[in-house]
Amino acid sequence: MTSRRVLLTGATGFVGRQIHRCLLEAGHLVVAAVRPDSVAKLEQGGLAAEIVVIDDVFAVTADDWAGHCNGIDAVIHAAWYVNPRDYLDSRENIRCVAGSMALAEGAMRAGVGHFIGVGTCAEYRLPSDHLTIDHPLEPKTLYAASKIAVFQMLQQMFKTGGPIFSWCRIFYLHGEGEYPQRLVPYVRQKLEQGQVAKLSKGTQLRDFLNVREAGAMIAGVVDSGQAGPINICSGVGVRLRDFIEAIADEYGRRDLLEFGTADIHPSDPAAVVGVCNVISAG
């Protein structure tokens, strides 16, 4: 594989740190655009990188991004507003749209050859247990609508003389570095403390993928050069209850799972399962 210089935003985030790790393992040079308070995270995590310290990646102008992208072969834009309390409907998503377009404009001016964005399975019309990249798009939240807006604008912006454009739609990720408020950390915490985990009926069908595998898939796009929408998923539907019971079996404590106590949110789709179209660089 040819070593490339890759600018990565969100390099210390849940998904970004895995992308970062996999890029390094593949022999690429990572230029990490991070906030001042994230520099220590890179060093503590043993993730060697050139560092561009930026207070707010969504407030940088296209001119400044063009300077940061000088000599960059590929950009992976993994940063976004993801506070679990309100990211689905926060107006911060609108700032992320504007900031993402400025980054893309700067990358194009600097002659970057490949721009890789990170989207979401929530862009699709749901529910569905067979989500191909050609499935209709129909956002239900401001977050999903904002991701679609960036995807569609970049498609048009890059189609004539711009960089290769890849859009990685992630599905239901779990693993290292998850927010404590998310489902899997919540269940594990309850089991470790010997407390009851109150859950919905668990009838939802989901496409779960470990975040390490997702990071490898996204990082691999740099080498494969795969363009267009890419489903970052396992391609396997698992009932939520079965997934949680498998976690409880690690502790031998299915007795601590209380299904049917929590309501299924009205906006929570019955099925979200993707068809993986990732092309291996090998």
Side-chain angles (χ1 to χ4, degrees):
M1 299 293 181
T2 302
S3 178
R4 293 176 174 84
R5 199 160 179 256
V6 182
L7 176 71
L8 174 63
T9 69
T12 59
F14 177 47
V15 180
R17 76 184 70 184
Q18 303 300 336
I19 298 171
H20 191 169
R21 181 178 289 115
C22 292
L23 287 171
L24 294 176
E25 290 173 353
H28 298 302
L29 174 63
V30 178
V31 179
V34 297
R35 297 188 304 270
D37 60 358
S38 293
V39 173
K41 293 181 183 178
L42 286 178
E43 296 171 348
Q44 292 167 2
L47 297 175
E50 289 186 25
I51 297 174
V52 177
V53 179
I54 298 175
D55 289 329
D56 181 355
V57 296
F58 298 107
V60 179
T61 66
D63 286 340
D64 285 342
W65 275 125
H68 293 315
C69 288
N70 184 41
I72 295 294
D73 298 303
V75 168
I76 301 181
H77 182 36
W80 200 270
Y81 180 77
V82 290
N83 189 315
R85 291 192 299 271
D86 66 350
Y87 79 97
L88 291 176
D89 297 300
S90 172
R91 293 181 65 81
E92 285 294 316
N93 286 291
I94 298 171
R95 290 187 66 250
C96 291
V97 172
S100 298
M101 295 307 297
L103 169 58
E105 175 68 24
M108 189 162 66
R109 290 184 195 175
V112 172
H114 194 175
F115 191 97
I116 302 166
V118 177
T120 169
C121 61
E123 296 172 46
Y124 291 120
R125 178 185 295 165
L126 302 173
S128 173
D129 62 358
H130 191 77
L131 291 164
T132 69
I133 60 169
D134 298 318
H135 192 84
L137 303 180
E138 188 178 292
K140 297 295 186 183
T141 64
L142 182 56
Y143 168 70
S146 299
K147 288 287 191 176
I148 289 175
V150 172
F151 164 65
Q152 293 180 331
M153 286 190 288
L154 293 184
Q155 266 192 322
Q156 297 304 313
M157 191 168 93
F158 290 151
K159 71 179 182 181
T160 54
I164 297 169
F165 174 48
S166 310
W167 188 252
C168 298
R169 292 190 176 119
I170 59 176
F171 280 64
Y172 285 78
L173 305 185
H174 64 93
E176 178 188 349
E178 275 190 273
Y179 284 103
Q181 298 95 324
R182 286 166 62 100
L183 177 62
V184 173
Y186 163 75
V187 170
R188 288 191 180 279
Q189 181 186 52
K190 290 297 185 182
L191 295 174
E192 288 166 4
Q193 295 174 350
Q195 299 176 354
V196 172
K198 298 182 181 296
L199 306 158
S200 70
K201 291 181 180 179
T203 55
Q204 308 96 308
L205 196 65
R206 293 289 181 264
D207 189 322
F208 293 107
L209 183 68
N210 190 284
V211 68
R212 285 181 175 269
E213 295 179 64
M217 289 179 178
I218 297 170
V221 175
V222 171
D223 289 317
S224 72
Q226 182 178 355
I230 304 170
N231 281 343
I232 304 299
C233 63
S234 69
V236 178
V238 178
R239 193 174 62 143
L240 184 59
R241 178 168 185 146
D242 296 334
F243 181 72
I244 296 301
E245 286 179 340
I247 293 173
D249 287 344
E250 296 176 23
Y251 300 84
R253 295 305 306 265
R254 281 200 190 191
D255 59 300
L256 293 177
L257 302 179
E258 192 173 282
F259 291 101
T261 302
D263 293 330
I264 297 177
H265 194 279
S267 66
D268 197 15
V272 184
V273 183
V275 176
C276 186
N277 67 315
V278 174
I279 297 174
S280 172

